[in-house]
């Protein structure tokens, strides 16, 4: 057991990661195992099924606690609120056949390798477990399970080049292959016979099978010499050296590029068709792990599994090489597949309440069982009959069709969404869409057009801004540093005959009228590279004194650095650096004497009008330096400021109407963007997120230099008149070509007029204010002012310069305030936020994106209200189905218990008719009702355990009980009633009718002498006929009453199929009531009753229908009545954000305008936890210029 089994019994798996779990060690005990096997047989498999549902019980029953080192079974438990258990068996992998001796295995014996630390001596075995398709091996030194299938994170940049640059040895490769397993993302298609078939598994299988078997070239190290070898991709292991050849290549793994350059199409994963440039990992000689050294830029060196390399550029080595980083389900694509195969459970009240609802029905059934046992036992029935009747009660009280009925509603909603171009890979989230009350929107490509229009160029010479150059203009842009910057500072490529790349880069380059020479093999003087991209003057270009310019090296755009740079050389000229990026960032990298003094005011002038502004800079390089030898820090320093590129980013046509619709429905809209904060505020105002009468308050947080504390300031942004801007624009030579409304935001000076202060005070008093903050300020607030964050989020509308991790963190913080958060973005840089939101909507042209639960084929936010409408309709349909199923089972349950009192029951065909002909058909067709086209300013209830819903169910149960008991009792008081003679009613009526000579008018000709000879199976009685007919038609009544229409679903009469079904079922039921066909009555176990009694039953049903309908419409659906009751009893919402709103309404000191607060010296570290789902693939294209 070890020295301290209690201590070594427990550990954490994937500590600090999204899929963090607790792991416990257990050892199987023979006697316990034998007892459990006996229990399986004695319980006819019921115990085995219970253990399947409750794996922790299985482990506790079969095993005893032990240390993880000795364990042969481990029990895993998630660390989230759900605490889900799973059981895994420890397996042993033998490598003895591959390693004959220690001397025979020098390469893998490197002490810092997990492979050497996992091999136990002298058995040469590896202890492993597999959790959610990821293999973990036991580290015999660290005494813990560690993930394999990925290169260790501790390697430095130089170590990766040195250790793996020449490839693995055959011996090393064999050992890694056995321990890591095959490099495949295997999504098995579940067999139909398992009854768990999911269409999604078929689609996922097709999605991943394409790259499971690709022929690749690897480099092998044989006795110090490198040789190339071709093999199938499923044989790849971490550390293998891939050789990327020219032409298109599908990547079967994640790999680090260590030589050359690649252009990659990542649309398979991100939905973005823009090619991405990947550069090789630098050979930095330091002690930092490679990922820490590269910071957020490490993704620029990583090629991701499932993406396509469309172009390679070799360096002076002549070969493009990459080291395999991750294989199989450890890859970025594998991680996405696992997130789909093993989705994070959703803590939705509806699903929690559903379980409680079933528990109530089971308790209800238990009462019925006790009643049944008492009644039948006291009447001397056989024990077998008592057990059978008791078990019948459970199947009646707990409706088995409930899950199927609820699933049917979701499927119909999913189909309706698909017809509208919205695709869903997580159907259970559809109901959650009905509760959304806050939507976060990305700006570029979501609220605004994806493409940008070049509006103007503001060049800078000798520390001063020059006259603006407008686009399009009559005269071409003159040759000079600014022109060269626009021609070369981009990452564009020619792909399939067209210039491809970032829309901003495309517009900028097209304005020069130059072309990209995509022919390979350009020899550049002084450079070893023969694959430089060359740009040349096009046919329409103005004359230039050069033949062309070669782009020697790129430092791709980084969302963390907010810039990109290139090293370029005029053919026959000198090398120069060109940088473009966020103006504030570019200005910081420039020599102070080259930046104009009015830089900030000019920048504010354009950003406040909603323009997108890009800063340009350059510098010359010393001759004789290889471009590949320069670091980014050396290149991007001491630059000369060249000017500002001004681009117009227009709102999409549907943006403003959609945001107005959401606002009218009291659904908050928040902008989360990587753009400049002034641009974002202006776009928010133009889009209608911020009303013209509302105030905007800029929240700025900064770290205090030389200390661990920080400061936070609230500055109001003043709304200037349009005339002021037009005058200023005219003075600066900036007259817009078309009329524009300049709604903008500029800081108010401390000596602002009293009228302004009064206006701001009034706006703040009425709560009509919005906070705007940058990603940097958000990060500092999260670290140093954690207590202020909820208050800021309550009125935060604009979040600018946000990184992908910060976007995810923001969504999670909103969720902590009990908001139901939707996220709408482009599916690439927003993927983390799309995954953690309650409903993530990716705007992509692809039919289905694995990056987001919902994907819209049309890149328009019009899909957001559509999804909310359908979500609300689906949620209401779920409640309708719950209520109907509860009433249907209760009606049948009450009817059976009434008949049990006389030792009677419903017949088999009676049960069959109610279950199949009535309930199943209703369950299928009730969900056909579509969503109501208008969004109302309130949401449907989110929980089953709510007063209106419970009152509705209870009252309808009482109506049904009253009607059935009334019919049951009153039928026994009828003069024609006989307990023993089931034909007495019609015989007595027949005799009376014959005497009055009116047989035909009563329609009782079916009663013949042979009727007495019919066999009685024990079910036929007047009580049975009465109760069954009343309960059957009562099911139709509750189906009609519970089929809600407005305000969340279309009126019930629009569901033609459902109405026709109800009419047909009612017609059949009335036919059974009034028909008098011997054979039919015999089959259905019905008996003949007088017409007067049949009419009496119809009257009882009509009264029940009127009472149910009146209560449902006048009480249950009477919203003003419930609001009045809430006000009377002073009921307040328990949501965190609602409570906070009430507190802030009473706080006259909030927000503290023009004040600065300072934090304590202690800060909360949130650097590593800025987001929930962080998949490296999707953080690669953040557009924060």
């Amino acid at each position: 057991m070890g020295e301290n089994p209690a201590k070594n019994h427990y550990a954490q798996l994937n500590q600090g990661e999204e899929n963090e779990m607790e792991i416990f060690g257990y050892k199987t005990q023979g006697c316990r195992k034998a007892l459990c096997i006996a229990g399986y047989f004695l319980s006819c498999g019921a115990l085995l099924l219970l253990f399947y549902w409750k794996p922790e019980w299985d482990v506790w029953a079969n095993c005893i606690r032990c240390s993880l080192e000795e364990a042969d079974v481990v029990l895993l438990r998630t660390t989230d609120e759900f605490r889900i258990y799973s059981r895994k068996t420890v397996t042993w992998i033998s490598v003895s056949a591959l390693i004959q001796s220690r001397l025979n295995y020098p390469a893998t014996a490197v002490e810092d390798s997990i492979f050497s630390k996992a091999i136990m001596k002298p058995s040469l075995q590896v202890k492993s477990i597999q959790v959610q398709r990821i293999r973990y091996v036991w580290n015999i030194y660290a005494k813990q399970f560690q993930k394999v299938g990925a290169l260790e994170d501790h390697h430095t940049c130089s170590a990766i080049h040195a250790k793996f640059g020449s490839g693995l040895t055959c011996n090393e490769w064999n050992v890694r292959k056995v321990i890591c397993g095959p490099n495949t993302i295997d999504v098995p298609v579940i067999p139909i016979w398992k009854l768990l078939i999911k269409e999604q598994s078929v689609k996922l299988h097709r999605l991943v099978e394409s790259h499971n078997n690709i022929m690749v070239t690897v480099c092998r190290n044989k006795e110090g010499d490198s040789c190339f070898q071709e093999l199938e991709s499923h044989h790849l292991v971490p550390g293998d050296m891939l050789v990327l050849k020219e032409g298109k290549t599908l990547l079967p793994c994640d790999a680090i590029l260590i030589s050359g350059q690649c252009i990659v199409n990542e649309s398979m994963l991100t939905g973005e068709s823009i090619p991405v440039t990947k550069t090789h990992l630098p050979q930095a000689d330091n002690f930092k792990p490679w990922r820490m050294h590269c910071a957020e830029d490490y993704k620029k060196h990583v090629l991701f599994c499932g993406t396509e390399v469309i172009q390679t550029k070799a360096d002076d080595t002549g070969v493009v090489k990459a080291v395999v980083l991750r294989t199989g389900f450890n890859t970025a694509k594998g991680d996405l597949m696992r997130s789909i195969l093993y989705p994070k459970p959703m803590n939705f009240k509806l699903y929690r309440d559903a379980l409680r609802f079933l528990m109530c029905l089971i308790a209800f059934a238990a009462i019925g069982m006790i009643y049944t046992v008492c009644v039948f036992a006291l009447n001397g029935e056989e024990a077998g009959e008592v057990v059978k009747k008791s078990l019948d009660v459970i199947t009646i009280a707990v409706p088995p069709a409930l899950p199927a009925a609820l699933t049917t509603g979701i499927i119909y909603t999913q189909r309706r969404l698909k017809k509208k171009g919205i695709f869903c890979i997580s159907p259970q989230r559809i109901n959650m869409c009905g509760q959304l009350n806050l939507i976060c929107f990305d700006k570029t490509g979501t609220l605004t057009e994806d493409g940008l229009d070049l509006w103007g160029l503001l060049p800078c010479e000798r520390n001063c801004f020059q006259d603006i150059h407008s686009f399009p203009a009559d005269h071409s842009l003159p040759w000079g540093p600014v022109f060269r910057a626009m021609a070369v500072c981009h990452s564009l490529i020619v792909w399939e005959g067209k210039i491809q790349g970032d829309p901003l880069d495309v517009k900028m380059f097209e304005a020069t009228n130059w072309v990209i020479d995509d022919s390979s093999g350009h020899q550049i003087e002084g450079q070893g590279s023969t694959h430089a991209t060359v740009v040349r003057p096009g046919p329409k270009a103005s004359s230039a004194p050069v033949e062309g310019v070669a782009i020697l090296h790129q430092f791709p755009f980084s969302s963390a650095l907010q810039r990109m740079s290139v090293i370029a050389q005029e053919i026959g000229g000198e090398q120069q650096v060109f940088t473009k990026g966020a103006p504030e960032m570019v200005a910081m990298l420039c020599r102070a004497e080259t930046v104009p003094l009015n830089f900030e005011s000019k920048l504010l002038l354009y950003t406040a009008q909603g323009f997108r502004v890009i800063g340009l800079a350059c510098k010359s390089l010393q001759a004789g330096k290889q471009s590949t030898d320069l670091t980014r820090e050396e290149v991007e320093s001491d630059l000369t400021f060249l000017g500002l590129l001004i681009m117009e980013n227009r709102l999409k046509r549907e943006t403003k109407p959609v945001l107005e619709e959401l606002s009218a429905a009291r659904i908050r809209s928040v902008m989360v963007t990587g753009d400049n904060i002034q641009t974002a505020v202006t776009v928010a105002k133009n889009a209608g997120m911020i009303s013209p009468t509302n105030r905007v308050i800029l929240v700025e947080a900064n770290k205090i230099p030389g200390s661990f504390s920080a400061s936070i300031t609230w500055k109001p942004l003043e709304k200037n008149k349009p005339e002021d801007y037009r005058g200023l624009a005219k003075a600066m030579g900036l007259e817009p070509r078309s009329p524009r409304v300049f709604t903008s935001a500029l800081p108010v000076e401390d000596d602002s007029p009293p009228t302004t202060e009064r206006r701001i005070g009034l706006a703040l008093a009425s709560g009509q204010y919005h906070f705007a903050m940058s990603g940097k300020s958000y990060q500092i607030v999260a670290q140093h002012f954690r207590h202020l964050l909820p208050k800021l989020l309550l009125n935060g509308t604009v979040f600018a310069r946000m990184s992908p991790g910060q976007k995810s963190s923001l969504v999670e913080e909103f969720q902590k305030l009990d908001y139901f958060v939707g996220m709408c973005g482009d599916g690439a840089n927003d993927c983390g936020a799309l995954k953690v939101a309650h409903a993530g909507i990716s705007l992509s042209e692809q039919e289905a994106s694995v990056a987001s639960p919902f994907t819209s084929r049309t890149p328009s936010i019009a899909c957001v209200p559509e999804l909310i409408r359908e979500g609300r309709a689906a949620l209401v349909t779920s409640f309708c189905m719950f209520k109907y199923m509860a009433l249907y089972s209760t009606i049948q349950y009450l009817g059976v218990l009434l008949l049990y009192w006389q030792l009677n029951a419903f017949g088999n065909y009676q049960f069959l008719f109610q279950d199949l002909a009535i309930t199943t058909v209703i369950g299928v067709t009730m969900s056909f009702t579509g969503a109501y086209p208008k969004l109302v300013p309130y949401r449907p209830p989110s929980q089953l355990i709510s007063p209106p819903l419970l009152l509705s169910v209870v009252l309808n149960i009482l109506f049904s009980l009253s009607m059935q008991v009334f019919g049951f009792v009153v039928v026994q008081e009828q003069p024609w009633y006989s307990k023993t003679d089931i034909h007495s009613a019609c015989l007595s009526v027949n005799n009376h009718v014959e005497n009055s000579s009116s047989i035909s008018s009563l329609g009782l000709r079916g009663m013949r002498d042979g009727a007495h000879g019919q066999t009685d199976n024990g079910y036929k009685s007047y009580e049975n006929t009465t109760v069954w007919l009343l309960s059957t038609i009562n099911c139709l009544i509750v189906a009609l009453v519970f089929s809600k229409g407005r305000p969340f679903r279309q009126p019930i009469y629009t569901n033609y199929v459902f109405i026709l079904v109800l009419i047909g079922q009612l017609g059949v039921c009335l036919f059974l009531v009034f028909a008098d066909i011997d054979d039919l009555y015999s089959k259905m176990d019905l008996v003949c009753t007088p017409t007067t009694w049949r009419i009496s039953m119809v009257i009882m049903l009509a009264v029940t229908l009127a009472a149910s309908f009146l209560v449902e419409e006048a009480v249950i659906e009477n919203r003003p009545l419930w609001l009045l009751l809430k006000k009377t009893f002073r009921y307040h919402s328990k949501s965190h954000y609602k409570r906070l709103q009430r507190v802030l309404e009473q706080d006259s000191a909030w927000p503290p305008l023009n004040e600065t607060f300072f934090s304590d010296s202690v800060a909360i570290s949130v650097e590593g936890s800025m987001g929930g789902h962080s998949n490296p693939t999707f953080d690669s294209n953040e557009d924060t210029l």
Side-chain angles (χ1 to χ4, degrees), residues 709-729:
S709 61
S711 65
I712 183 171
T713 307
W714 285 262
K715 295 179 181 177
L717 297 177
E718 174 60 276
K719 176 178 175 291
N720 286 288
K721 295 178 183 179
E723 292 80 8
D724 296 341
Y725 267 121
R726 291 198 184 99
L728 188 57

Side-chain angles (χ1 to χ4, degrees), residues 518-662:
D518 60 337
S519 58
S520 59
H522 297 289
Q523 184 66 43
I524 307 302
E525 186 181 343
Q527 297 293 322
S529 172
T530 59
H531 290 273
T533 300
V534 175
V535 293
R536 302 181 188 276
K540 297 180 182 179
S542 58
S543 60
V546 294
E547 181 189 340
V549 183
I551 302 170
L552 305 178
H553 190 71
Q554 288 184 15
F555 295 96
F557 174 77
S558 161
S559 58
L561 302 176
Q562 299 178 3
R563 62 183 181 271
M564 75 160 292
S565 297
V566 298
I567 299 174
Q569 181 179 4
E570 293 178 10
I571 295 175
E574 64 173 0
Q575 292 183 38
Q576 284 186 301
V577 172
F578 293 95
T579 300
K580 83 170 191 297
E584 310 96 320
M585 188 59 65
V586 172
M588 286 171 61
L589 301 173
C590 293
R591 301 195 315 277
E593 64 270 19
T594 68
V595 181
L597 296 174
N598 61 342
F599 168 80
E600 289 185 5
S601 62
K602 277 284 189 180
L603 176 62
L604 195 57
L605 172 68
Y606 296 110
T607 56
Q609 297 173 50
F611 287 116
R612 192 155 183 203
V613 184
I614 311 297
L616 300 173
C618 76
K619 78 171 181 181
S620 296
L621 285 180
Q622 295 177 1
K625 274 202 171 185
Q626 286 278 350
S627 60
T628 52
D629 297 336
L630 295 169
T631 65
R632 188 161 193 163
E633 291 74 18
E634 291 173 327
V635 168
E636 295 174 341
S637 61
D638 296 326
L639 301 171
T640 299
F641 186 73
L642 293 178
L644 298 174
L645 194 64
I646 303 160
M647 309 193 86
E648 196 172 24
N649 198 192
R650 294 190 180 97
L651 280 177
K652 289 183 178 178
R653 188 178 66 254
E654 58 278 349
T655 295
K656 194 165 185 178
V658 167
L659 294 179
E660 286 173 352
E661 183 180 8
L662 293 178

Side-chain angles (χ1 to χ4, degrees), residues 1047-1059:
F1048 303 113
R1049 301 203 307 169
Q1050 289 180 358
I1052 190 62
Y1053 57 77
T1054 61
N1055 188 347
Y1056 307 116
V1057 178
F1058 180 63
I1059 293 296

Side-chain angles (χ1 to χ4, degrees), residues 645-897:
L645 194 64
I646 303 160
M647 309 193 86
E648 196 172 24
N649 198 192
R650 294 190 180 97
L651 280 177
K652 289 183 178 178
R653 188 178 66 254
E654 58 278 349
T655 295
K656 194 165 185 178
V658 167
L659 294 179
E660 286 173 352
E661 183 180 8
L662 293 178
S663 177
R666 294 185 183 173
I667 297 171
R668 265 187 75 185
S669 297
V670 172
M671 185 190 294
V672 189
T673 179
D675 210 340
N676 178 281
I677 194 163
Q678 297 289 355
T679 304
V681 168
T682 305
V683 170
K685 286 190 170 190
N686 292 339
M689 270 188 187
I690 299 173
S691 170
T693 58
N694 292 359
R695 314 307 308 168
V696 180
I697 300 169
L698 179 65
V699 179
E700 285 186 345
N702 295 287
K703 287 185 179 178
I704 299 172
S707 73
F708 293 101
S709 61
S711 65
I712 183 171
T713 307
W714 285 262
K715 295 179 181 177
L717 297 177
E718 174 60 276
K719 176 178 175 291
N720 286 288
K721 295 178 183 179
E723 292 80 8
D724 296 341
Y725 267 121
R726 291 198 184 99
L728 188 57
K730 193 172 182 179
M732 297 287 186
L734 173 64
E735 192 64 28
R737 296 186 305 279
S738 56
R740 292 170 58 90
V741 179
F742 294 132
T743 53
S744 61
L746 288 174
V748 171
E749 301 295 332
D750 290 340
D751 57 347
S752 54
T755 53
T756 301
E757 293 292 351
R758 280 199 301 273
R759 204 161 61 242
I760 292 171
L762 287 171
L764 298 181
S766 61
Q768 297 176 340
Y769 60 90
H770 301 262
F771 290 128
M773 69 170 75
S774 66
K776 185 192 79 165
S777 296
Y778 172 79
Q779 183 98 6
I780 293 169
V781 168
Q783 284 180 297
H784 295 271
F785 301 96
R786 192 78 195 174
H787 63 289
L788 291 176
L789 190 58
K791 295 182 180 181
L792 293 171
L793 295 183
L794 197 63
N795 286 85
T797 301
V798 176
F799 296 85
R801 294 288 190 225
M802 297 287 280
S803 70
Q806 288 168 345
K807 288 183 180 183
S808 302
S809 170
L810 180 68
V811 169
E812 289 186 320
E813 292 298 333
F814 275 127
Q815 289 172 332
K816 287 176 186 175
L817 292 176
D818 296 329
Y819 280 108
F820 280 87
V821 185
M823 174 71 198
C824 186
D826 58 12
N829 51 3
D830 305 302
C831 181
L834 290 169
K835 295 294 288 183
V836 299
H838 290 110
I841 310 153
S842 171
L843 304 183
S844 170
E845 292 180 4
Q846 292 195 347
E847 232 181 58
S849 169
V850 292
S852 174
F854 298 94
T855 302
S856 172
R857 180 187 287 171
T858 308
S860 156
I861 65 167
C863 63
V864 174
E866 198 62 61
L867 189 59
I868 294 172
R869 278 192 286 269
E870 290 291 352
R872 288 182 173 185
L875 189 56
V876 171
T877 299
S878 295
F879 284 122
C880 291
M881 290 308 306
F882 266 116
K883 288 168 68 175
Y884 173 72
M885 287 294 176
L887 261 295
Y888 143 71
S889 57
T890 306
I891 288 166
Q892 200 176 69
Y893 169 85
L894 293 173
V896 168
L897 292 189

Side-chain angles (χ1 to χ4, degrees), residues 1065-1102:
Q1065 289 173 333
L1066 182 62
V1068 172
C1069 290
L1070 290 176
F1071 177 76
L1072 290 173
V1073 170
F1074 290 102
D1076 191 16
I1077 303 169
D1078 292 345
D1079 291 340
L1080 178 63
Y1081 270 35
S1082 178
K1083 286 285 185 186
M1084 295 300 298
D1085 296 315
L1086 300 175
V1087 296
C1088 178
T1089 57
T1091 304
T1092 51
W1093 179 245
R1094 303 179 197 197
I1095 293 170
S1096 300
M1097 285 193 289
V1098 171
I1099 292 170
M1100 282 186 254
L1101 289 164

Side-chain angles (χ1 to χ4, degrees), residues 961-996:
L961 178 64
S962 302
M963 180 180 66
Q964 290 191 44
V965 170
F966 183 79
F968 183 81
V969 172
V970 172
V971 74
Q972 297 176 19
E973 303 299 321
Q974 299 304 307
W976 42 263
Y977 172 80
S978 170
K979 200 167 188 177
T980 55
D981 186 4
I982 59 174
H983 306 292
S984 59
C986 289
L987 279 178
S988 61
V989 172
N990 273 346
N991 293 335
H992 172 74
V993 170
E994 284 169 4
N995 292 335
S996 60

